[in-house]
Every structure is written in structure tokens, then in C-alpha cells.
């Protein structure tokens, strides 16, 4: 697909995940920075994402929101980047991408908000307990270099961002397998380019304030 991509983001947001996904995809894109407050909640941006949050992309006439969905979409829209799973990798690709978007994020949020859930209510939750979710993720990376095993795919952009940010900000515990995984993904050139772009945008805002 060769339609123009417009990337709506704020450098201090989860838009950093999509920036990395776009850089991995190797496609040209236009960045539109959406400021928090009236800009993000205004009618012009709400026409793009009624949730009034970033990131979002417009690809031709198509609009995609939610980081995991955008990552998956970009992998399919630009298959030449080699980020899609092969037949043997598909199960792990979808399993762990949705695990990060669902149980892992719920567990991290509940733990960060110090929500004290009675043990007998844990089965009602999509993640069980925080310890359960962390243990499952740690176990996977004890046995695998990447989400799908030995090869980097788009799932590593999404899952890797969760692990990288979570350990940096303390919402995920430090584990040897997490540390080794982060070291593997951070050396990617697309990762370096994406972070440099957003860090420059952040620095510009700090200089203006």
C-alpha cells in the first residue's frame, strides 16, 4: 500500500511505540503533534479519534487507533519490512501482543494504582494477579530471545516497549530475562531513530517552556 500516512502523536505519550513501528516499517510518514488539553479534545482531532487520545494514524482513508492495532496494521500494510510472523510464529505473535495489550497492561495499572483486590476475586480479573502476569512474561523471555522465538517481529515493538518502559519507570520489576531482551531490541537502528526523533521534540518543548 502506498497511500500517505499521517501520524498523530505527542512525544510524551505512547506515540513513541508507533513512532518505532513506523521506523521499522520503512515507510515515509508525516507527523502531526497533538497537544494535551484543548487540542487533543477538540473537534478536529476527535474526528480522528473520538477517545481524544494519541497515537493514531491515517493511511489514505483508513484511520487506526490503539497502539497494538496500529503495530499489527503497519506490519501487514508494509510486508516488505519483514515484520509479519511466518506460519510457525503466528500463534506466539498474536498471543503475546494481545497478552501485553490485555492482561499485562491491566495488571500493571492495577498494581500502580495500588488497587487491593481480595484473593477470592482474582479469578474475575483478566490477569489474575500482578505476580501471575509478570511471572508468565518472565518465563517466556527466559526461554525465548524475542516474542516469536529467535526472530524480531512487529510484536517485539509492542511487547518490547512495555518491557522497556515498565522496567525504566518501575511498573515492571527488573528481571535478568527482561534486561537481556531490552538490550537486544534497543540496538536496532529503527529504535534508535525513533527515540532520537521524540527526544528532540521533547527537548524543543522543554526549551520553549
Amino acid at each position: 500500500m502506498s497511500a500517505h500516512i499521517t501520524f498523530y502523536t505527542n512525544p510524551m505519550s505512547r506515540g513513541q511505540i508507533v513512532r518505532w513501528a513506523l521506523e521499522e516499517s520503512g515507510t515515509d510518514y508525516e507527523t502531526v503533534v497533538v497537544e494535551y488539553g484543548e487540542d487533543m479534545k477538540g473537534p478536529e482531532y476527535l474526528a480522528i479519534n473520538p477517545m481524544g487520545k494519541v497515537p493514531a494514524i491515517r493511511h489514505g482513508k483508513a484511520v487506526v487507533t490503539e497502539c497494538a492495532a496500529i503495530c499489527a496494521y503497519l506490519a501487514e500494510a508494509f510486508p516488505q519490512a519483514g515484520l509479519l510472523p511466518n506460519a510457525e510464529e503466528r500463534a506466539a505473535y498474536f498471543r503475546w501482543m494481545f497478552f501485553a495489550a490485555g492482561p499485562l497492561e491491566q495488571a500493571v495499572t492495577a498494581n500502580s494504582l495500588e488497587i487491593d483486590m481480595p484473593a477470592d476475586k482474582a479469578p474475575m480479573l483478566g490477569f489474575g494477579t500482578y505476580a501471575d502476569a509478570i511471572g508468565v512474561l518472565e518465563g517466556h523471555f527466559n526461554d525465548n530471545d524475542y516474542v516469536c522465538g529467535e526472530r524480531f517481529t512487529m510484536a517485539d515493538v509492542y511487547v518490547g516497549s512495555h518491557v522497556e518502559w515498565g522496567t525504566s519507570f518501575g511498573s515492571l520489576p527488573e528481571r535478568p530475562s527482561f534486561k537481556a531482551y531490552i538490550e537486544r531490541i534497543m540496538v536496532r537502528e529503527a529504535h534508535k531513530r525513533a527515540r532520537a526523533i521524540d527526544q528532540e521534540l521533547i527537548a524543543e518543548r522543554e526549551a520553549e517552556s
Side-chain angles (χ1 to χ4, degrees), residues 32-192:
V32 175
V33 174
V34 186
E35 302 296 349
Y36 288 103
E38 293 182 6
D39 194 12
M40 203 172 290
K41 300 298 184 181
E44 184 175 349
Y45 185 66
L46 289 177
I48 300 297
N49 186 355
M51 288 292 289
K53 65 178 186 176
V54 291
I57 65 167
R58 183 192 290 277
H59 188 199
K61 295 181 179 179
V63 173
V64 190
T65 66
E66 309 308 321
C67 288
I70 297 171
C71 287
Y73 177 87
L74 290 172
E76 293 194 8
F78 302 98
Q80 65 273 18
L83 299 167
L84 284 170
N86 60 36
E88 290 74 25
E89 295 166 338
R90 281 176 59 82
Y93 181 88
F94 287 110
R95 175 187 179 183
W96 294 103
M97 186 176 287
F98 284 95
F99 176 83
L104 180 62
E105 181 152 346
Q106 293 174 24
V108 168
T109 299
N111 187 67
S112 297
L113 294 176
E114 299 181 348
I115 297 175
D116 187 15
M117 185 63 63
D120 63 332
K121 301 297 184 183
M124 299 173 62
L125 305 174
F127 60 88
T129 68
Y130 176 77
D132 289 340
I134 301 306
V136 167
L137 188 66
E138 180 183 11
H140 181 69
F141 288 117
N142 280 338
D143 298 329
N144 297 276
D145 286 346
Y146 297 100
V147 168
C148 293
E150 298 181 355
R151 189 177 72 89
F152 183 94
T153 66
M154 186 62 88
D156 291 292
V157 173
Y158 187 70
V159 178
S161 293
H162 277 271
V163 177
E164 180 184 349
W165 290 1
T167 53
S168 295
F169 292 103
S171 59
L172 287 181
E174 294 185 1
R175 296 286 190 271
S177 64
F178 293 166
K179 182 176 184 294
Y181 177 51
I182 292 167
E183 290 174 350
R184 284 189 288 274
I185 62 177
M186 287 184 68
V187 299
R188 295 185 64 82
E189 291 303 317
H191 183 285
K192 294 176 184 179

